[in-house]
Amino acid sequence: MQRIYIPHLVNDPNKARTIEVNDYLSDLDTLTPVKGSIQIEHRGNFLDVAAQAETIATLSCHRCLKNYNSRIQVDTSEFIWLQEPQPEAYAEEVEVGLDELVETLPPQGHFDPGKWLYEQLCLAIPQRQLCDQACEGISNPLASDADTATDQRWSALSALKQQLSD
């Protein structure tokens, strides 16, 4: 996907552009190409960016470590403020208010829809990756013999545990 020079969006019909996506993103390892669309609308002092896209990626289960395929879907929008970067004296510690936690671009700069879509898809990847809700994890054949195969170094703790339960 080509970067978009932001002032050119003003010349587009309705100050908007729609990009159809049917391609692999270079930094995102997926089984299928990313399919969907991105709508970018110039609204004076901000860009209104929205995307609907999906792909299939191979993830690794956090319980059993097996690989499985998962559909990653995005249906999101974001406002990106257009303002010149403010020169700041960088301190070791800077206090940032909640109203300052926004994405900004210079008004005469470029918007990279491929990078933005990549970020949105990365945010859509589940933090807790499970192949199945009933996944029990890696089976431990020694777990059934846990009482008989206790490490002797833990015997003092086992004795204390027994005393507390009595």
Side-chain angles (χ1 to χ4, degrees), residues 9 17 24 44 49 56 60 72 87 114 121 137 153 156 162 165-166:
L9 283 172
R17 188 177 297 184
Y24 290 95
V49 185
I56 297 175
S60 180
I72 301 172
L121 287 168
R153 293 175 287 183
Q162 184 65 30
S165 64
D166 291 340

Side-chain angles (χ1 to χ4, degrees), residues 121-136:
L121 287 168
C122 285
L123 289 171
I125 295 174
Q127 291 294 315
R128 188 175 181 195
Q129 298 174 12
L130 300 176
C131 60
D132 183 16
Q133 290 299 327
C135 178
E136 295 184 12

Side-chain angles (χ1 to χ4, degrees), residues 70-82:
S70 177
R71 182 176 306 276
I72 301 172
Q73 295 178 319
V74 168
D75 187 3
T76 188
S77 64
E78 180 179 16
F79 295 133
I80 301 175
W81 297 104
L82 301 175

Side-chain angles (χ1 to χ4, degrees), residues 24 33 46 49 55 59 63 76 94 97 108 113 115 121 139 144 149 159:
Y24 290 95
F46 68 94
V49 185
T55 187
L59 304 176
R63 286 187 185 161
T76 188
V94 177
Q108 302 300 316
K115 179 182 174 192
L121 287 168
S139 62
S144 60

Side-chain angles (χ1 to χ4, degrees), residues 54 62 71 83 94 120 140 154 158:
E54 66 178 19
H62 288 166
R71 182 176 306 276
Q83 68 181 22
V94 177
Q120 302 307 311
N140 185 357
W154 292 100
S158 296

Side-chain angles (χ1 to χ4, degrees), residues 78-134:
E78 180 179 16
F79 295 133
I80 301 175
W81 297 104
L82 301 175
Q83 68 181 22
E84 290 296 332
Q86 303 297 322
E88 297 180 26
Y90 291 103
E92 287 184 27
E93 199 171 304
V94 177
E95 193 168 319
V96 179
L98 289 176
D99 57 334
E100 297 176 34
L101 296 175
V102 294
E103 222 25 74
T104 61
L105 287 174
Q108 302 300 316
H110 290 84
F111 173 70
D112 188 346
K115 179 182 174 192
W116 184 83
L117 184 59
Y118 165 78
E119 292 170 352
Q120 302 307 311
L121 287 168
C122 285
L123 289 171
I125 295 174
Q127 291 294 315
R128 188 175 181 195
Q129 298 174 12
L130 300 176
C131 60
D132 183 16
Q133 290 299 327

